[in-house]
Short mmCIF file of all heavy atoms in Angstrom, two decimals:
data_model
loop_
_atom_site.label_atom_id
_atom_site.label_comp_id
_atom_site.label_asym_id
_atom_site.label_seq_id
_atom_site.Cartn_x
_atom_site.Cartn_y
_atom_site.Cartn_z
N MET A 1 47.38 -6.77 -35.35
CA MET A 1 46.92 -6.12 -36.59
C MET A 1 47.31 -7.02 -37.76
O MET A 1 48.41 -7.57 -37.75
CB MET A 1 47.59 -4.72 -36.72
CG MET A 1 47.16 -4.04 -38.01
SD MET A 1 47.85 -2.38 -38.24
CE MET A 1 46.75 -1.48 -37.15
N LYS A 2 46.43 -7.06 -38.73
CA LYS A 2 46.67 -7.94 -39.89
C LYS A 2 47.67 -7.21 -40.87
O LYS A 2 47.86 -5.97 -40.76
CB LYS A 2 45.36 -8.20 -40.59
CG LYS A 2 44.47 -8.93 -39.65
CD LYS A 2 43.44 -9.75 -40.32
CE LYS A 2 42.69 -10.52 -39.25
NZ LYS A 2 41.45 -11.01 -39.75
N LYS A 3 48.31 -7.97 -41.70
CA LYS A 3 49.41 -7.43 -42.51
C LYS A 3 49.10 -6.81 -43.86
O LYS A 3 49.77 -5.98 -44.39
CB LYS A 3 50.44 -8.52 -42.81
CG LYS A 3 51.08 -9.11 -41.59
CD LYS A 3 51.99 -10.23 -41.98
CE LYS A 3 52.65 -10.84 -40.74
NZ LYS A 3 53.60 -11.87 -41.07
N TYR A 4 47.86 -7.22 -44.39
CA TYR A 4 47.48 -6.77 -45.72
C TYR A 4 46.08 -6.18 -45.71
O TYR A 4 45.19 -6.77 -45.16
CB TYR A 4 47.54 -7.96 -46.71
CG TYR A 4 48.88 -8.63 -46.75
CD1 TYR A 4 49.22 -9.75 -46.09
CD2 TYR A 4 49.86 -8.05 -47.53
CE1 TYR A 4 50.44 -10.36 -46.12
CE2 TYR A 4 51.18 -8.58 -47.56
CZ TYR A 4 51.42 -9.71 -46.89
OH TYR A 4 52.68 -10.24 -46.92
N LEU A 5 45.89 -5.10 -46.45
CA LEU A 5 44.61 -4.49 -46.65
C LEU A 5 44.21 -4.72 -48.21
O LEU A 5 45.04 -4.40 -49.00
CB LEU A 5 44.63 -3.04 -46.33
CG LEU A 5 45.04 -2.67 -44.93
CD1 LEU A 5 44.96 -1.15 -44.71
CD2 LEU A 5 44.17 -3.37 -43.86
N ALA A 6 43.01 -5.07 -48.45
CA ALA A 6 42.53 -5.28 -49.79
C ALA A 6 41.51 -4.25 -50.10
O ALA A 6 40.64 -3.94 -49.33
CB ALA A 6 41.99 -6.69 -49.95
N PHE A 7 41.64 -3.76 -51.36
CA PHE A 7 40.70 -2.73 -51.91
C PHE A 7 40.33 -3.23 -53.31
O PHE A 7 41.10 -3.74 -54.04
CB PHE A 7 41.35 -1.38 -52.04
CG PHE A 7 41.78 -0.79 -50.70
CD1 PHE A 7 42.99 -1.15 -50.19
CD2 PHE A 7 40.97 0.08 -50.04
CE1 PHE A 7 43.40 -0.63 -48.97
CE2 PHE A 7 41.43 0.62 -48.80
CZ PHE A 7 42.62 0.23 -48.30
N ALA A 8 39.06 -3.12 -53.66
CA ALA A 8 38.60 -3.51 -54.96
C ALA A 8 37.26 -2.89 -55.29
O ALA A 8 36.53 -2.41 -54.46
CB ALA A 8 38.42 -5.03 -55.01
N GLY A 9 36.95 -2.90 -56.58
CA GLY A 9 35.67 -2.35 -57.02
C GLY A 9 35.45 -2.43 -58.52
O GLY A 9 36.15 -3.05 -59.24
N SER A 10 34.42 -1.77 -58.92
CA SER A 10 33.99 -1.66 -60.37
C SER A 10 34.42 -0.31 -60.93
O SER A 10 34.40 0.71 -60.26
CB SER A 10 32.45 -1.78 -60.37
OG SER A 10 32.00 -1.41 -61.59
N ASN A 11 34.88 -0.36 -62.16
CA ASN A 11 35.15 0.87 -62.83
C ASN A 11 33.96 1.75 -63.11
O ASN A 11 33.94 2.92 -63.10
CB ASN A 11 35.82 0.60 -64.22
CG ASN A 11 37.26 0.10 -64.07
OD1 ASN A 11 37.93 0.34 -63.13
ND2 ASN A 11 37.67 -0.74 -65.02
N TYR A 12 32.77 1.06 -63.19
CA TYR A 12 31.53 1.76 -63.45
C TYR A 12 30.96 2.44 -62.22
O TYR A 12 30.38 3.52 -62.33
CB TYR A 12 30.50 0.81 -64.03
CG TYR A 12 29.24 1.42 -64.61
CD1 TYR A 12 29.35 2.07 -65.85
CD2 TYR A 12 28.08 1.46 -63.93
CE1 TYR A 12 28.24 2.68 -66.31
CE2 TYR A 12 26.94 2.01 -64.47
CZ TYR A 12 27.04 2.64 -65.69
OH TYR A 12 25.88 3.30 -66.18
N TYR A 13 31.13 1.83 -61.04
CA TYR A 13 30.65 2.47 -59.86
C TYR A 13 31.76 2.65 -58.79
O TYR A 13 31.68 2.01 -57.75
CB TYR A 13 29.56 1.51 -59.21
CG TYR A 13 28.24 1.48 -59.98
CD1 TYR A 13 27.88 0.34 -60.61
CD2 TYR A 13 27.46 2.57 -60.11
CE1 TYR A 13 26.70 0.24 -61.31
CE2 TYR A 13 26.27 2.51 -60.82
CZ TYR A 13 25.93 1.37 -61.44
OH TYR A 13 24.76 1.28 -62.13
N PRO A 14 32.78 3.33 -59.10
CA PRO A 14 33.84 3.61 -58.14
C PRO A 14 33.28 4.37 -56.93
O PRO A 14 32.50 5.29 -57.05
CB PRO A 14 34.91 4.37 -58.87
CG PRO A 14 34.16 5.13 -59.92
CD PRO A 14 32.96 4.17 -60.32
N VAL A 15 33.73 3.96 -55.74
CA VAL A 15 33.30 4.60 -54.49
C VAL A 15 34.44 5.43 -54.04
O VAL A 15 34.21 6.60 -53.68
CB VAL A 15 32.82 3.60 -53.49
CG1 VAL A 15 32.31 4.30 -52.24
CG2 VAL A 15 31.72 2.68 -54.05
N GLY A 16 35.64 4.95 -53.97
CA GLY A 16 36.85 5.67 -53.61
C GLY A 16 37.27 5.50 -52.13
O GLY A 16 36.51 5.28 -51.26
N GLY A 17 38.58 5.51 -51.99
CA GLY A 17 39.21 5.52 -50.70
C GLY A 17 38.80 4.22 -49.87
O GLY A 17 38.68 3.16 -50.35
N MET A 18 38.50 4.47 -48.62
CA MET A 18 38.13 3.46 -47.65
C MET A 18 36.84 2.79 -48.06
O MET A 18 36.53 1.70 -47.55
CB MET A 18 38.18 3.96 -46.23
CG MET A 18 39.57 4.10 -45.66
SD MET A 18 40.52 2.59 -45.66
CE MET A 18 39.73 1.58 -44.53
N ASN A 19 36.04 3.45 -48.83
CA ASN A 19 34.74 2.87 -49.24
C ASN A 19 34.97 1.69 -50.19
O ASN A 19 34.06 0.93 -50.41
CB ASN A 19 33.88 3.90 -49.88
CG ASN A 19 33.38 4.96 -48.92
OD1 ASN A 19 33.01 4.60 -47.82
ND2 ASN A 19 33.41 6.19 -49.34
N ASP A 20 36.18 1.53 -50.76
CA ASP A 20 36.51 0.36 -51.58
C ASP A 20 37.27 -0.71 -50.78
O ASP A 20 37.71 -1.69 -51.41
CB ASP A 20 37.33 0.83 -52.84
CG ASP A 20 36.53 1.68 -53.78
OD1 ASP A 20 35.31 1.33 -53.95
OD2 ASP A 20 37.09 2.61 -54.42
N PHE A 21 37.36 -0.51 -49.55
CA PHE A 21 38.06 -1.49 -48.64
C PHE A 21 37.21 -2.75 -48.51
O PHE A 21 35.97 -2.66 -48.25
CB PHE A 21 38.29 -0.85 -47.30
CG PHE A 21 38.84 -1.80 -46.23
CD1 PHE A 21 40.16 -2.17 -46.30
CD2 PHE A 21 38.05 -2.24 -45.22
CE1 PHE A 21 40.72 -3.00 -45.30
CE2 PHE A 21 38.56 -3.10 -44.20
CZ PHE A 21 39.87 -3.46 -44.29
N ILE A 22 37.82 -3.95 -48.77
CA ILE A 22 37.05 -5.16 -48.69
C ILE A 22 37.53 -6.11 -47.66
O ILE A 22 36.97 -7.21 -47.48
CB ILE A 22 36.90 -5.84 -50.07
CG1 ILE A 22 38.32 -6.21 -50.61
CG2 ILE A 22 36.17 -5.00 -51.08
CD1 ILE A 22 38.31 -7.14 -51.81
N GLY A 23 38.63 -5.81 -46.94
CA GLY A 23 39.04 -6.67 -45.89
C GLY A 23 40.51 -6.56 -45.52
O GLY A 23 41.33 -5.99 -46.30
N SER A 24 40.88 -7.09 -44.37
CA SER A 24 42.25 -7.15 -43.93
C SER A 24 42.59 -8.61 -43.69
O SER A 24 41.68 -9.41 -43.24
CB SER A 24 42.47 -6.37 -42.63
OG SER A 24 41.58 -6.81 -41.64
N PHE A 25 43.85 -8.99 -43.96
CA PHE A 25 44.23 -10.37 -43.99
C PHE A 25 45.65 -10.54 -43.48
O PHE A 25 46.50 -9.66 -43.60
CB PHE A 25 44.20 -10.87 -45.53
CG PHE A 25 42.86 -10.70 -46.13
CD1 PHE A 25 42.58 -9.54 -46.72
CD2 PHE A 25 41.88 -11.70 -46.05
CE1 PHE A 25 41.28 -9.34 -47.30
CE2 PHE A 25 40.64 -11.49 -46.64
CZ PHE A 25 40.31 -10.32 -47.29
N GLU A 26 45.86 -11.72 -42.91
CA GLU A 26 47.26 -12.09 -42.40
C GLU A 26 48.08 -12.61 -43.54
O GLU A 26 49.30 -12.51 -43.55
CB GLU A 26 47.15 -13.20 -41.37
CG GLU A 26 46.81 -12.68 -39.95
CD GLU A 26 47.96 -11.77 -39.43
OE1 GLU A 26 49.14 -12.08 -39.59
OE2 GLU A 26 47.68 -10.72 -38.80
N ILE A 27 47.42 -13.29 -44.57
CA ILE A 27 48.10 -13.97 -45.62
C ILE A 27 47.83 -13.35 -46.95
O ILE A 27 46.63 -13.04 -47.22
CB ILE A 27 47.72 -15.45 -45.68
CG1 ILE A 27 48.05 -16.14 -44.30
CG2 ILE A 27 48.35 -16.18 -46.85
CD1 ILE A 27 47.50 -17.45 -44.19
N LEU A 28 48.90 -12.94 -47.71
CA LEU A 28 48.68 -12.28 -49.01
C LEU A 28 47.74 -13.04 -49.93
O LEU A 28 46.93 -12.45 -50.55
CB LEU A 28 50.06 -12.06 -49.63
CG LEU A 28 50.09 -11.46 -50.98
CD1 LEU A 28 49.47 -10.08 -51.01
CD2 LEU A 28 51.55 -11.45 -51.56
N GLU A 29 47.95 -14.36 -49.98
CA GLU A 29 47.06 -15.15 -50.89
C GLU A 29 45.57 -14.98 -50.58
O GLU A 29 44.76 -15.05 -51.43
CB GLU A 29 47.49 -16.60 -50.96
CG GLU A 29 48.90 -16.83 -51.60
CD GLU A 29 50.05 -16.46 -50.70
OE1 GLU A 29 49.87 -16.29 -49.50
OE2 GLU A 29 51.18 -16.30 -51.29
N ASP A 30 45.24 -14.91 -49.31
CA ASP A 30 43.84 -14.75 -48.89
C ASP A 30 43.36 -13.43 -49.39
O ASP A 30 42.18 -13.32 -49.81
CB ASP A 30 43.71 -14.80 -47.38
CG ASP A 30 43.98 -16.20 -46.80
OD1 ASP A 30 43.94 -17.12 -47.64
OD2 ASP A 30 44.19 -16.30 -45.56
N ALA A 31 44.11 -12.37 -49.30
CA ALA A 31 43.68 -11.03 -49.81
C ALA A 31 43.47 -11.06 -51.33
O ALA A 31 42.50 -10.53 -51.86
CB ALA A 31 44.75 -9.96 -49.47
N ILE A 32 44.41 -11.72 -52.03
CA ILE A 32 44.29 -11.81 -53.53
C ILE A 32 43.05 -12.64 -53.86
O ILE A 32 42.32 -12.25 -54.77
CB ILE A 32 45.56 -12.49 -54.07
CG1 ILE A 32 46.74 -11.50 -53.93
CG2 ILE A 32 45.34 -12.86 -55.54
CD1 ILE A 32 48.03 -12.13 -54.24
N ASN A 33 42.84 -13.74 -53.19
CA ASN A 33 41.64 -14.56 -53.40
C ASN A 33 40.33 -13.77 -53.20
O ASN A 33 39.36 -13.89 -53.98
CB ASN A 33 41.61 -15.79 -52.56
CG ASN A 33 42.63 -16.80 -53.00
OD1 ASN A 33 43.13 -16.76 -54.16
ND2 ASN A 33 43.02 -17.65 -52.07
N LYS A 34 40.28 -12.93 -52.15
CA LYS A 34 39.10 -12.08 -51.92
C LYS A 34 38.83 -11.16 -53.07
O LYS A 34 37.70 -11.02 -53.48
CB LYS A 34 39.32 -11.34 -50.54
CG LYS A 34 38.14 -10.42 -50.25
CD LYS A 34 36.90 -11.30 -49.88
CE LYS A 34 35.79 -10.41 -49.36
NZ LYS A 34 34.59 -11.15 -49.14
N ILE A 35 39.85 -10.56 -53.64
CA ILE A 35 39.77 -9.60 -54.68
C ILE A 35 39.23 -10.34 -55.94
O ILE A 35 38.38 -9.76 -56.66
CB ILE A 35 41.07 -8.92 -55.04
CG1 ILE A 35 41.45 -7.91 -53.97
CG2 ILE A 35 41.08 -8.27 -56.46
CD1 ILE A 35 42.79 -7.34 -54.09
N ASN A 36 39.66 -11.54 -56.12
CA ASN A 36 39.23 -12.31 -57.33
C ASN A 36 37.86 -12.92 -57.23
O ASN A 36 37.39 -13.56 -58.20
CB ASN A 36 40.29 -13.34 -57.71
CG ASN A 36 41.51 -12.68 -58.18
OD1 ASN A 36 41.46 -11.82 -59.03
ND2 ASN A 36 42.67 -13.14 -57.69
N GLU A 37 37.19 -12.82 -56.11
CA GLU A 37 35.83 -13.41 -55.89
C GLU A 37 34.82 -12.50 -56.57
O GLU A 37 35.09 -11.29 -56.76
CB GLU A 37 35.52 -13.52 -54.41
CG GLU A 37 36.31 -14.62 -53.72
CD GLU A 37 36.06 -14.61 -52.22
OE1 GLU A 37 35.23 -13.75 -51.70
OE2 GLU A 37 36.61 -15.53 -51.59
N TYR A 38 33.63 -12.95 -56.72
CA TYR A 38 32.49 -12.08 -57.16
C TYR A 38 32.26 -11.08 -56.14
O TYR A 38 32.26 -11.31 -54.97
CB TYR A 38 31.25 -12.92 -57.42
CG TYR A 38 31.32 -13.84 -58.64
CD1 TYR A 38 31.63 -15.16 -58.52
CD2 TYR A 38 31.15 -13.25 -59.92
CE1 TYR A 38 31.71 -15.98 -59.67
CE2 TYR A 38 31.21 -14.09 -61.01
CZ TYR A 38 31.52 -15.43 -60.86
OH TYR A 38 31.59 -16.21 -62.00
N ASP A 39 31.95 -9.82 -56.60
CA ASP A 39 31.83 -8.76 -55.60
C ASP A 39 30.44 -8.33 -55.30
O ASP A 39 30.17 -7.47 -54.47
CB ASP A 39 32.67 -7.53 -56.04
CG ASP A 39 32.08 -6.78 -57.17
OD1 ASP A 39 31.31 -7.35 -57.94
OD2 ASP A 39 32.39 -5.59 -57.37
N ASP A 40 29.41 -8.85 -55.94
CA ASP A 40 28.06 -8.44 -55.70
C ASP A 40 27.05 -9.58 -56.04
O ASP A 40 27.42 -10.58 -56.54
CB ASP A 40 27.75 -7.15 -56.36
CG ASP A 40 27.65 -7.26 -57.88
OD1 ASP A 40 27.64 -8.42 -58.37
OD2 ASP A 40 27.73 -6.23 -58.45
N SER A 41 25.80 -9.27 -55.71
CA SER A 41 24.80 -10.40 -55.91
C SER A 41 24.48 -10.49 -57.38
O SER A 41 23.71 -11.46 -57.72
CB SER A 41 23.58 -10.01 -55.12
OG SER A 41 23.00 -8.69 -55.53
N TYR A 42 24.97 -9.67 -58.26
CA TYR A 42 24.72 -9.76 -59.70
C TYR A 42 25.76 -10.59 -60.44
O TYR A 42 25.71 -10.78 -61.64
CB TYR A 42 24.63 -8.39 -60.34
CG TYR A 42 23.52 -7.52 -59.80
CD1 TYR A 42 23.82 -6.47 -58.90
CD2 TYR A 42 22.21 -7.87 -60.13
CE1 TYR A 42 22.81 -5.72 -58.43
CE2 TYR A 42 21.18 -7.05 -59.58
CZ TYR A 42 21.50 -5.99 -58.72
OH TYR A 42 20.52 -5.23 -58.14
N GLY A 43 26.76 -11.08 -59.63
CA GLY A 43 27.77 -11.96 -60.26
C GLY A 43 28.86 -11.19 -60.95
O GLY A 43 29.58 -11.78 -61.75
N ARG A 44 28.98 -9.87 -60.80
CA ARG A 44 30.02 -9.11 -61.47
C ARG A 44 31.37 -9.32 -60.70
O ARG A 44 31.43 -9.27 -59.52
CB ARG A 44 29.70 -7.63 -61.49
CG ARG A 44 28.48 -7.35 -62.30
CD ARG A 44 28.18 -5.90 -62.28
NE ARG A 44 27.68 -5.51 -60.97
CZ ARG A 44 26.92 -4.46 -60.80
NH1 ARG A 44 26.49 -3.71 -61.70
NH2 ARG A 44 26.54 -4.21 -59.54
N LEU A 45 32.44 -9.47 -61.47
CA LEU A 45 33.77 -9.50 -60.87
C LEU A 45 34.28 -8.11 -60.66
O LEU A 45 33.85 -7.17 -61.30
CB LEU A 45 34.73 -10.23 -61.83
CG LEU A 45 34.51 -11.74 -61.98
CD1 LEU A 45 35.31 -12.34 -63.12
CD2 LEU A 45 34.80 -12.51 -60.70
N ASN A 46 35.20 -7.92 -59.76
CA ASN A 46 35.90 -6.70 -59.55
C ASN A 46 36.67 -6.30 -60.81
O ASN A 46 37.30 -7.14 -61.44
CB ASN A 46 36.79 -6.75 -58.37
CG ASN A 46 36.11 -6.89 -57.06
OD1 ASN A 46 35.15 -6.21 -56.76
ND2 ASN A 46 36.52 -7.89 -56.27
N ASP A 47 36.60 -5.07 -61.20
CA ASP A 47 37.38 -4.57 -62.36
C ASP A 47 38.78 -4.19 -61.93
O ASP A 47 39.64 -4.22 -62.82
CB ASP A 47 36.69 -3.29 -62.92
CG ASP A 47 35.36 -3.57 -63.56
OD1 ASP A 47 35.20 -4.63 -64.23
OD2 ASP A 47 34.44 -2.74 -63.40
N TRP A 48 38.97 -3.86 -60.70
CA TRP A 48 40.35 -3.49 -60.30
C TRP A 48 40.51 -3.95 -58.81
O TRP A 48 39.47 -4.18 -58.09
CB TRP A 48 40.56 -1.98 -60.42
CG TRP A 48 39.70 -1.23 -59.52
CD1 TRP A 48 38.39 -0.75 -59.87
CD2 TRP A 48 39.91 -0.84 -58.18
NE1 TRP A 48 37.85 -0.14 -58.75
CE2 TRP A 48 38.77 -0.13 -57.71
CE3 TRP A 48 40.95 -1.03 -57.33
CZ2 TRP A 48 38.70 0.29 -56.42
CZ3 TRP A 48 40.84 -0.54 -56.05
CH2 TRP A 48 39.70 0.14 -55.61
N GLY A 49 41.73 -4.07 -58.36
CA GLY A 49 41.99 -4.39 -56.96
C GLY A 49 43.43 -4.17 -56.63
O GLY A 49 44.32 -4.18 -57.45
N HIS A 50 43.62 -3.77 -55.36
CA HIS A 50 44.97 -3.59 -54.79
C HIS A 50 45.07 -4.20 -53.51
O HIS A 50 44.12 -4.21 -52.68
CB HIS A 50 45.27 -2.08 -54.55
CG HIS A 50 45.30 -1.22 -55.80
ND1 HIS A 50 44.80 -0.02 -55.91
CD2 HIS A 50 45.83 -1.51 -57.02
CE1 HIS A 50 45.00 0.48 -57.10
NE2 HIS A 50 45.60 -0.41 -57.81
N VAL A 51 46.28 -4.77 -53.17
CA VAL A 51 46.55 -5.24 -51.83
C VAL A 51 47.74 -4.42 -51.32
O VAL A 51 48.77 -4.30 -52.00
CB VAL A 51 46.96 -6.70 -51.79
CG1 VAL A 51 47.37 -7.11 -50.42
CG2 VAL A 51 45.79 -7.60 -52.30
N LEU A 52 47.52 -3.79 -50.24
CA LEU A 52 48.54 -2.92 -49.60
C LEU A 52 49.17 -3.70 -48.44
O LEU A 52 48.55 -4.26 -47.59
CB LEU A 52 47.87 -1.66 -49.03
CG LEU A 52 48.74 -0.72 -48.18
CD1 LEU A 52 49.79 -0.03 -49.12
CD2 LEU A 52 48.00 0.27 -47.40
N SER A 53 50.54 -3.78 -48.40
CA SER A 53 51.22 -4.42 -47.34
C SER A 53 51.43 -3.27 -46.29
O SER A 53 52.03 -2.21 -46.56
CB SER A 53 52.62 -4.86 -47.79
OG SER A 53 53.47 -5.08 -46.69
N LEU A 54 51.06 -3.54 -45.06
CA LEU A 54 51.27 -2.62 -43.94
C LEU A 54 52.70 -2.51 -43.49
O LEU A 54 53.13 -1.55 -42.87
CB LEU A 54 50.33 -2.88 -42.82
CG LEU A 54 48.85 -2.64 -43.11
CD1 LEU A 54 47.97 -3.03 -41.93
CD2 LEU A 54 48.58 -1.23 -43.49
N ASP A 55 53.46 -3.62 -43.82
CA ASP A 55 54.87 -3.62 -43.43
C ASP A 55 55.68 -2.67 -44.29
O ASP A 55 56.56 -1.93 -43.74
CB ASP A 55 55.49 -5.06 -43.57
CG ASP A 55 54.93 -6.03 -42.55
OD1 ASP A 55 54.55 -5.57 -41.49
OD2 ASP A 55 55.04 -7.24 -42.86
N SER A 56 55.43 -2.65 -45.59
CA SER A 56 56.26 -1.77 -46.51
C SER A 56 55.46 -0.59 -47.02
O SER A 56 56.07 0.28 -47.62
CB SER A 56 56.63 -2.64 -47.73
OG SER A 56 55.50 -2.99 -48.54
N MET A 57 54.18 -0.50 -46.73
CA MET A 57 53.30 0.51 -47.16
C MET A 57 53.35 0.69 -48.68
O MET A 57 53.29 1.74 -49.21
CB MET A 57 53.62 1.88 -46.50
CG MET A 57 53.38 1.87 -45.03
SD MET A 57 51.67 1.40 -44.58
CE MET A 57 50.77 2.81 -45.08
N GLN A 58 53.45 -0.48 -49.34
CA GLN A 58 53.49 -0.59 -50.81
C GLN A 58 52.36 -1.47 -51.31
O GLN A 58 51.93 -2.44 -50.59
CB GLN A 58 54.81 -1.17 -51.31
CG GLN A 58 56.01 -0.38 -50.91
CD GLN A 58 56.16 0.88 -51.71
OE1 GLN A 58 55.98 0.94 -52.88
NE2 GLN A 58 56.49 1.98 -51.00
N ILE A 59 51.90 -1.22 -52.55
CA ILE A 59 50.95 -2.16 -53.23
C ILE A 59 51.76 -3.34 -53.65
O ILE A 59 52.68 -3.27 -54.38
CB ILE A 59 50.27 -1.46 -54.41
CG1 ILE A 59 49.39 -0.28 -53.90
CG2 ILE A 59 49.48 -2.47 -55.17
CD1 ILE A 59 48.81 0.59 -54.94
N VAL A 60 51.34 -4.53 -53.13
CA VAL A 60 52.08 -5.74 -53.47
C VAL A 60 51.32 -6.64 -54.41
O VAL A 60 51.79 -7.70 -54.85
CB VAL A 60 52.38 -6.54 -52.12
CG1 VAL A 60 53.37 -5.77 -51.27
CG2 VAL A 60 51.15 -6.89 -51.35
N TYR A 61 50.09 -6.26 -54.77
CA TYR A 61 49.28 -6.98 -55.75
C TYR A 61 48.36 -6.00 -56.46
O TYR A 61 47.78 -5.14 -55.77
CB TYR A 61 48.47 -8.09 -55.14
CG TYR A 61 47.53 -8.75 -56.14
CD1 TYR A 61 48.03 -9.67 -57.03
CD2 TYR A 61 46.20 -8.41 -56.18
CE1 TYR A 61 47.19 -10.33 -57.96
CE2 TYR A 61 45.38 -9.07 -57.12
CZ TYR A 61 45.83 -9.97 -58.02
OH TYR A 61 45.00 -10.54 -58.93
N GLU A 62 48.23 -6.06 -57.74
CA GLU A 62 47.34 -5.18 -58.48
C GLU A 62 46.59 -6.00 -59.54
O GLU A 62 47.21 -6.66 -60.33
CB GLU A 62 48.20 -4.09 -59.12
CG GLU A 62 47.41 -2.99 -59.70
CD GLU A 62 48.26 -1.78 -60.14
OE1 GLU A 62 49.44 -1.80 -59.90
OE2 GLU A 62 47.70 -0.89 -60.75
N LEU A 63 45.29 -5.96 -59.46
CA LEU A 63 44.44 -6.48 -60.44
C LEU A 63 44.02 -5.39 -61.42
O LEU A 63 43.45 -4.37 -60.98
CB LEU A 63 43.17 -7.11 -59.80
CG LEU A 63 42.06 -7.62 -60.74
CD1 LEU A 63 42.48 -8.87 -61.54
CD2 LEU A 63 40.79 -7.85 -60.03
N LYS A 64 44.32 -5.60 -62.66
CA LYS A 64 43.97 -4.54 -63.66
C LYS A 64 42.93 -4.98 -64.60
O LYS A 64 42.78 -6.16 -64.95
CB LYS A 64 45.23 -4.17 -64.52
CG LYS A 64 46.35 -3.63 -63.66
CD LYS A 64 47.52 -3.31 -64.50
CE LYS A 64 48.63 -2.81 -63.64
NZ LYS A 64 49.81 -2.48 -64.36
#
């Protein structure tokens, strides 16, 4: 099982919960990079993002 779960989305179109899940990763930096990429075909960046560590069950990165 991978160590980090990434969630991200738009403030304008929040989906919520697992619907905002964008991937699981072994390396924290990979999860952060995924959050910071463009999220749709219109070139919009994510307005928010969280990376959850499955080891500590804590948010270890937050994009505001």
Side-chain angles (χ1 to χ4, degrees):
M1 178 180 279
K2 302 206 176 163
K3 296 180 183 182
Y4 301 99
L5 302 181
F7 299 83
S10 165
N11 289 333
Y12 192 75
Y13 292 113
V15 182
M18 285 302 292
N19 292 319
D20 290 323
F21 175 72
I22 60 170
S24 58
F25 304 87
E26 278 295 320
I27 300 169
L28 176 59
E29 289 78 16
D30 291 344
I32 292 169
N33 289 338
K34 181 67 174 178
I35 288 172
N36 289 315
E37 292 175 355
Y38 288 100
D39 73 338
D40 64 18
S41 60
Y42 299 107
R44 293 180 292 206
L45 291 171
N46 292 310
D47 292 322
W48 64 271
H50 294 141
V51 176
L52 174 72
S53 166
L54 293 176
D55 290 336
S56 66
M57 295 305 289
Q58 299 288 318
I59 294 172
V60 294
Y61 174 79
E62 189 169 355
L63 171 70
K64 297 179 184 181

